[in-house]
Amino acid sequence: MTMQKRLADAVSKSATTAVTQQSATWLLATVTAVNTGGTVDITTATGPVSAVRRLRSYAAPIVGDVVRVDRKADGNWLVTGALSAGISDWQALTMSGSFTANGGTSDPPPMARLTTDGLLQLSGVVKGAATAGTAIQFATLPAGVTTSYWVRGTVQTSSVGQLAGIDVSPSGVCRLLPVANHGASGWFQLDGVQGRYR
């Protein structure tokens, strides 16, 4: 390769790099650190970038998240949010013991999901026998829906005027803590139970 050819290639590459760096665009990146003050460190195909501001809607970043990043021609970067990993859709709980979905035509089935802003949410109506004052496992979280924290809530039941406690452990066990006895056809509704999973 001649000197002139090498020089021409170097100039062309330099010009292409300059244009790429100066143009406004978006790209994918991976979060490498979560900082205080609303920023994260990321790594992209072109290298690492420190202290990139994130949108308020990307409220619960974690290391390893694959995120969309907007880059402006003036050199400003912005993390707009994490890509879905297929976990934001509702997934069926794995029922335990004699507990089942209530089965009414208007009753949502027992399900769970993780939201992009860091919440574990439960939904659905479950029926099954339970003894007042005794915690009993009624389900486990589906594969891929996990929580680092205990999630707890209070739910409506078929016992008039009575509520029940629900908790979900970091191991994925979902328990009912009834105040009143439930017969085999007694039900409780999971909607409204939510808490941070990370």
Side-chain angles (χ1 to χ4, degrees):
M1 183 181 289
T2 67
M3 177 68 80
Q4 288 179 328
K5 173 64 173 167
R6 285 197 297 269
L7 180 59
D9 287 348
V11 169
S12 176
K13 182 177 180 181
S14 178
T16 300
T17 301
V19 169
T20 300
Q21 290 176 344
Q22 291 303 312
S23 60
T25 188
W26 70 269
L27 61 155
L28 298 180
T30 302
V31 174
T32 56
V34 178
N35 309 314
T36 58
T39 68
V40 294
D41 295 349
I42 59 173
T43 185
T44 73
T46 59
V49 185
S50 298
V52 179
R53 180 70 54 193
R54 58 183 170 84
L55 292 182
R56 182 179 296 174
S57 57
Y58 181 38
I62 58 173
V63 171
D65 278 351
V66 178
V67 294
R68 174 182 165 152
V69 179
D70 288 349
R71 183 183 64 194
K72 292 183 63 179
D74 62 7
N76 285 320
W77 295 70
L78 181 67
V79 175
T80 58
L83 270 61
S84 170
I87 59 174
S88 59
D89 295 329
W90 291 105
Q91 298 182 52
L93 294 174
T94 301
M95 306 310 295
S96 299
S98 62
F99 289 95
T100 63
N102 194 46
T105 56
S106 299
D107 292 332
M111 304 186 93
R113 72 174 178 181
L114 303 178
T115 69
T116 56
D117 57 352
L119 292 178
L120 165 65
Q121 297 178 326
L122 301 184
S123 177
V125 184
V126 178
K127 69 177 178 180
T131 303
T134 302
I136 184 170
Q137 180 176 347
F138 67 88
T140 55
L141 293 178
V145 178
T146 61
T147 177
S148 297
Y149 304 125
W150 281 89
V151 173
R152 299 178 176 91
T154 304
V155 299
Q156 183 179 353
T157 76
S158 57
S159 299
V160 177
Q162 298 293 335
L163 301 176
I166 297 290
D167 64 31
V168 182
S169 73
S171 63
V173 173
C174 305
R175 299 188 308 167
L176 170 71
L177 298 87
V179 174
N181 288 333
H182 284 253
S185 61
W187 58 260
F188 53 96
Q189 181 144 356
L190 299 174
D191 294 81
V193 177
Q194 65 177 19
R196 286 177 54 200
Y197 71 87
R198 63 182 186 184

